[in-house]
Amino acid sequence: MVFESLATSLQPWADYYAASAVLPLVVLTAHVVSVFVGGGVAVATDRRLLRAEPGSSESFIAIAEDLQGTHRLVVSMLSITILSGLAMAAADVASYATLRLFWAKMGLIVLLLLNGALMRRTETQLLGAARQTREEPIAGPTVTGPWRHLRSAAWRSLVCWLGIVILGVLVSNQ
């Protein structure tokens, strides 16, 4: 009932989308490119984070500052991905509403967003702790604790991005 009402209210968009030769191409291109750029940068950053073994507070600071800059780009690309995905889904609500793979993908996107928020918070904690212990030759537990959480978040990020891409391919072939 809810999906029928939603489909009815979005019918003008669906008609416009279906009648256009260019719009679906633009929306799909924006979607794929933003997943490619945002996901690619995120995966590369997660990999770099998992391979890093900083010892001093200075090296922790450098990594956390790099992550903050990287996450701005990833969040921007993820915003484009979500908007373009909503535009595609709104053009065919009846199909997507009942597709379990679509909802599984949406669930992974929510998990990715929650994990990203956790990563941002942990980066801030790591930066604060590392800056306070800058004079110490080896970073202590106030720095290494957030570092462990950040590494765990990187693993979750990798799994989410991989799952989102796989489910995206499966959804597009339904």
Side-chain angles (χ1 to χ4, degrees), residues 34-157:
S34 62
V35 168
F36 179 76
V37 173
V41 169
V43 166
T45 301
D46 291 338
R47 181 180 179 275
R48 204 168 58 239
L49 177 66
L50 292 169
R51 292 177 52 89
E53 294 185 24
S56 69
S57 291
E58 287 295 328
S59 57
F60 280 106
I61 290 168
I63 290 170
E65 286 175 345
D66 180 55
L67 285 173
Q68 285 185 329
T70 300
H71 278 132
R72 280 190 280 282
L73 174 63
V74 172
V75 168
S76 297
M77 291 296 106
L78 197 51
S79 298
I80 294 169
T81 301
I82 290 169
L83 290 173
S84 59
L86 287 172
M88 289 186 291
D92 194 6
V93 173
S95 296
Y96 287 111
T98 59
L99 192 58
R100 290 180 191 212
L101 290 172
F102 172 77
W103 291 110
K105 182 181 174 184
M106 295 304 103
L108 279 180
I109 290 170
V110 168
L111 289 175
L112 182 69
L113 292 171
L114 292 172
N115 189 60
L118 177 67
M119 283 185 91
R120 297 289 302 245
R121 192 181 79 201
T122 306
E123 289 164 11
T124 302
Q125 290 173 346
L126 178 64
L127 266 174
R131 286 179 176 145
Q132 289 177 354
T133 60
R134 193 174 272 185
E135 294 80 31
E136 297 177 20
I138 298 175
T142 58
V143 175
T144 57
W147 177 251
R148 280 193 307 278
H149 293 299
L150 205 52
R151 288 175 55 91
S152 295
W155 279 113
R156 289 190 299 273
S157 173

